[in-house]
Amino acid sequence: MCANMTVVLGGASSGKSDIAEKLCVNRMLQKVYLASAECLDQEMRTKAAQHRTKRGADWCTIEEPLEAARVISDRKAGEILLFDCATMWLTNHLLADHDLSRETDALLDAIKSSPAEVVIVSNETGLGVVPENALARRFRISQGDLNRRLAAQADTVIGVMAGLPFALKGNLPAGLS
C-alpha cells in the first residue's frame, strides 16, 4: 500500500509544481521525478532543461509520457516520486485514443500498491467554461474524473492558487504556508 499520497491541484501556471517540489525536497528519501510531457519542440526542451537544473542533481528524472503505472510500480520504499503531471499523462492517452478508464484504473492501482511516497501534480479544469468542442469536453470530463479518483485515494490534497497552497484534504505540511 502507498506509504503516503499527496495530490497537488491548481490551474495552469498556478505554482502547483513548485509546491509539489517543496513537498519532496527536504525529505530524506531518494527523489524520483516522473515527467509525462513530451518535449516535441525547442520551447518544451528548454523548459524541461530549466526544470531539471532547478531541481538539482539529487533527483532521478524519468521521462515517460504514457507508462506512469509501470514507473510507479517499479518504485521502492525509501523513495519519493513526484509525478508531474497527471494532466499531460491523461492528454497523451486521450490523443492516442486509449481507453481512459482502463489507463486510470491501472494508474490508481499502481499508486495504491506502491511502497514509495507519491506526490501527483494535476490541473483543476472544473473552474472554467464548458468547452465548445467534443474533444475538449471529453478531456474536461475525464480530467475531473481522474482528479476526483486521485483525491479520494490521497492522504492529502493541496489546492494552489496564485502560488499559495491551501488544504483541501488533510493538513498542509509544515513549511508550505
Side-chain angles (χ1 to χ4, degrees):
M1 177 158 179
C2 185
N4 184 16
M5 177 184 166
T6 301
V7 175
V8 181
L9 295 170
S13 297
S14 63
K16 59 193 175 296
S17 293
D18 289 340
I19 295 296
E21 287 178 19
K22 285 180 185 178
L23 290 169
C24 300
V25 78
N26 292 323
R27 301 299 310 273
M28 300 305 290
L29 299 168
Q30 183 179 355
K31 294 165 199 55
V32 179
Y33 187 92
L34 172 56
S36 60
E38 293 186 273
C39 296
L40 300 175
D41 60 26
Q42 187 56 45
E43 179 185 356
M44 281 300 291
R45 285 188 289 276
T46 300
K47 184 176 179 179
Q50 290 170 338
H51 281 252
R52 274 192 300 273
T53 299
K54 180 182 165 213
R55 280 194 306 275
D58 61 336
W59 287 81
C60 169
T61 299
I62 301 170
E63 296 176 356
E64 178 49 64
L66 294 169
E67 299 297 326
R70 178 188 50 77
V71 173
I72 293 168
S73 292
D74 289 345
R75 304 293 33 102
K76 311 262 185 287
E79 294 179 328
I80 187 164
L81 175 120
L82 172 50
F83 178 24
D84 195 355
C85 80
T87 303
M88 286 303 302
W89 170 85
L90 182 71
T91 300
N92 296 338
H93 281 288
L94 178 70
L95 295 176
D97 201 28
H98 293 164
D99 182 331
L100 298 181
S101 180
R102 187 184 75 231
E103 296 298 339
T104 298
D105 287 346
L107 177 68
L108 290 166
D109 288 346
I111 294 166
K112 186 183 289 186
S113 63
S114 177
E117 293 189 27
V118 179
V119 177
I120 300 171
V121 174
S122 191
N123 283 19
E124 176 51 62
T125 58
L127 300 173
V129 298
V130 176
E132 68 178 64
N133 68 72
L135 180 62
R137 287 190 299 274
R138 181 174 175 223
F139 166 75
R140 186 183 66 127
I141 290 167
S142 298
Q143 183 68 57
D145 178 61
L146 175 61
N147 286 346
R148 285 189 302 276
R149 292 182 68 192
L150 287 168
Q153 191 168 307
D155 301 292
T156 305
V157 179
I158 298 171
V160 180
M161 189 175 291
L164 302 173
F166 51 94
L168 294 169
K169 180 179 179 181
N171 298 310
L172 282 180
L176 274 192
S177 51

